[in-house]
Amino acid sequence: MATTLVRTKNLTTPIYPVMVAIGICHLFNDTLQAVIPAMFPVLEKEIGLTFTQLGLITFVLNMVSSVLQPVVGFFSDRNPKPYALPLGMSCTFIGLAGIAIAPNYWIILLSVIFLGLGSAIFHPEGSKVSFMAAGSKRGLSQSIYQVGGNSGQALAPLISAFVLVPFGQIGAAWFLIVAAIGIVLLSRISSWYKNQLEEERLTNKKKTLISNLPNLTKRQVGIALGLLMAVIFVRSFYVTNMTNFYIFYLMDKYQLTIQNGQMLIFIFLGIGAVGTFFGGPMADRIGRKNVILLSFLVPMPLALLLPYLPLWIVVVFLVVIGFFIMLSFSVTVIYAQELVPSKVGTMAGLTVGLAFGMGAIGSVVIGMMMDSMGIFNTMIFISVLPLLAIVAFWLPTDHKITT
């Protein structure tokens, strides 16, 4: 049975203030999540955690988020809960407070469960708000939303270098202010969200996703989703390594300080956020699949060379790899939503949740590899991973929508 291909000429007007506001809240949410990897050098030094234990912290954080995101998305598609957004940020507030005062490893793990729960609630609902506000600019809206999140993740090295290294673990308490502001802003967005749902109910007119993919059978949709998940796996595994563990490689091979090493990682993640922003509008122009392919074809040879380069060239390579590998971040969400146009929240939860989940698994695996194989050999192994994204060639080709 084929999926329904929905097209329309009467596209609604984008609501830019809401698009920007939910993007800012995504920035807040992922900045607070980024406190965890930012604390790794501090936790390794102050508490004496092993690389495997650090990996398990990320595993717990990301697995709670990744497992629950598709579940939250599924129930949100069936029965939207606008005020779940500030509730999710409240869970993050509780988790962050626990992190700041946690006396041992087990309390840290308990605290990151709350952080993961907050993220799981926020992401599918936030993506739905982005979709409802997008109108005819779905690629742009999703890029604004995702670049907020990626910018928050990019702040992790700066948080480490300028807050957590000087102040230690208790420095995480400063970010409770960010969480409180997020709760207030999300409460306002939830009111708009609720009004939109009420308007749809009264007019009996529900927003419908416009798909630019051809009609596909259920089997073809399943295969395409599997290929897309493989692409997300490669990207998440690689970025997790760069975010959480590359700092130790920089310190070991180039004898950089924590602060200087974190600045290089910030460059990688910051440029990645720029790539995320451009990916959505680019996909609106040249197609989703083309952007996904471009996102991996360019970084493949550069990633292979990265472990062997002198430091001054490393910076250039990090800029190029960061920009292109994150170019497809928002695009994979849109592509999945167009594969299953009746399940916008579920597909957002599945794709973004899978990114968290793969990052969680990757964090544990990489931590264990570094403990057993050494830092350099682990980096060599990770450098080969982008080659696996070649499966993107077999994704169904999309076509530009005429508006």
Side-chain angles (χ1 to χ4, degrees), residues 74-316:
F74 175 78
F75 284 105
S76 175
D77 285 332
R78 296 168 65 92
N79 188 18
K81 300 290 185 184
Y83 287 97
L85 285 166
L87 175 63
M89 187 63 73
S90 298
C91 290
T92 299
F93 184 98
I94 294 170
L96 195 63
I99 287 290
I101 60 174
N104 57 52
Y105 179 62
W106 300 107
I107 299 299
I108 290 173
L109 288 180
L110 178 62
S111 298
V112 300
I113 288 175
F114 278 94
L115 283 164
L117 179 61
S119 183
I121 295 171
F122 172 81
H123 280 99
E125 288 292 337
S127 186
K128 287 194 72 174
V129 169
S130 174
F131 165 68
M132 295 177 75
S136 60
K137 302 292 185 181
R138 193 164 64 252
L140 174 63
S141 184
Q142 190 63 222
S143 279
I144 292 173
Y145 175 68
Q146 297 296 350
V147 80
N150 289 343
S151 297
Q153 295 170 24
L155 292 175
L158 300 186
I159 292 171
S160 176
F162 298 109
V163 180
L164 298 177
V165 170
F167 294 100
Q169 185 178 343
I170 194 64
W174 284 103
F175 296 94
L176 293 173
I177 299 171
V178 176
I181 296 172
I183 292 170
V184 173
L185 186 54
L186 284 170
S187 297
R188 298 289 300 274
I189 293 174
S190 293
S191 296
W192 175 87
Y193 186 1
K194 182 180 180 181
N195 291 337
Q196 289 294 110
L197 293 174
E198 183 65 17
E199 183 181 324
E200 289 178 3
R201 187 184 68 81
L202 292 175
T203 60
N204 197 29
K205 183 180 180 182
K206 190 175 182 179
K207 286 184 182 291
T208 307
L209 180 63
I210 308 159
S211 177
N212 63 349
L213 286 165
N215 285 334
L216 301 171
T217 65
K218 285 185 176 180
R219 182 174 181 272
Q220 289 173 320
V221 169
I223 292 173
L225 279 174
L227 294 172
L228 193 66
M229 297 305 110
V231 169
I232 294 172
F233 159 77
V234 171
R235 183 184 64 214
S236 299
F237 212 100
Y238 189 86
V239 173
T240 293
N241 174 69
M242 300 300 290
T243 304
N244 295 349
F245 294 101
Y246 191 60
I247 177 64
F248 298 108
Y249 178 74
L250 292 172
M251 293 165 62
D252 181 67
K253 181 175 174 62
Y254 302 107
Q255 288 76 52
L256 295 183
T257 63
I258 293 177
Q259 287 89 341
N260 290 338
Q262 294 287 22
M263 289 304 297
L264 290 186
I265 296 171
F266 171 71
I267 290 172
F268 172 82
L269 295 174
I271 295 298
V274 175
T276 297
F277 177 78
F278 282 102
M282 188 182 298
D284 285 339
R285 290 179 173 272
I286 69 173
R288 323 297 191 206
K289 179 180 177 179
N290 289 335
V291 172
I292 293 172
L293 287 173
L294 184 65
S295 177
F296 289 96
L297 290 177
V298 174
M300 281 178 187
L302 304 183
L304 288 170
L305 293 172
L306 185 63
Y308 307 99
L309 299 174
L311 184 60
W312 68 273
I313 304 180
V314 165
V315 179
V316 178

Side-chain angles (χ1 to χ4, degrees), residues 239-403:
V239 173
T240 293
N241 174 69
M242 300 300 290
T243 304
N244 295 349
F245 294 101
Y246 191 60
I247 177 64
F248 298 108
Y249 178 74
L250 292 172
M251 293 165 62
D252 181 67
K253 181 175 174 62
Y254 302 107
Q255 288 76 52
L256 295 183
T257 63
I258 293 177
Q259 287 89 341
N260 290 338
Q262 294 287 22
M263 289 304 297
L264 290 186
I265 296 171
F266 171 71
I267 290 172
F268 172 82
L269 295 174
I271 295 298
V274 175
T276 297
F277 177 78
F278 282 102
M282 188 182 298
D284 285 339
R285 290 179 173 272
I286 69 173
R288 323 297 191 206
K289 179 180 177 179
N290 289 335
V291 172
I292 293 172
L293 287 173
L294 184 65
S295 177
F296 289 96
L297 290 177
V298 174
M300 281 178 187
L302 304 183
L304 288 170
L305 293 172
L306 185 63
Y308 307 99
L309 299 174
L311 184 60
W312 68 273
I313 304 180
V314 165
V315 179
V316 178
F317 273 52
L318 288 177
V319 168
V320 179
I321 294 173
F323 179 87
F324 279 96
I325 205 165
M326 296 304 292
L327 199 65
S328 64
F329 194 92
S330 62
V331 180
T332 50
V333 177
I334 300 169
Y335 192 95
Q337 290 174 333
E338 292 181 348
L339 281 171
V340 190
S342 62
K343 302 291 183 183
V344 174
T346 305
M347 289 300 103
L350 179 65
T351 51
V352 179
L354 181 73
F356 277 97
M358 291 302 100
I361 295 171
S363 187
V364 174
V365 172
I366 295 167
M368 294 174 66
M369 289 176 65
M370 290 180 71
D371 280 333
S372 60
M373 296 171 47
I375 296 174
F376 181 75
N377 289 333
T378 302
M379 293 301 115
I380 299 301
F381 174 82
I382 298 299
S383 71
V384 179
L385 272 180
L387 295 176
L388 300 179
I390 202 76
V391 298
F393 274 106
W394 286 275
L395 287 170
T397 301
D398 53 300
H399 304 283
K400 189 179 185 304
I401 299 174
T402 56
T403 59

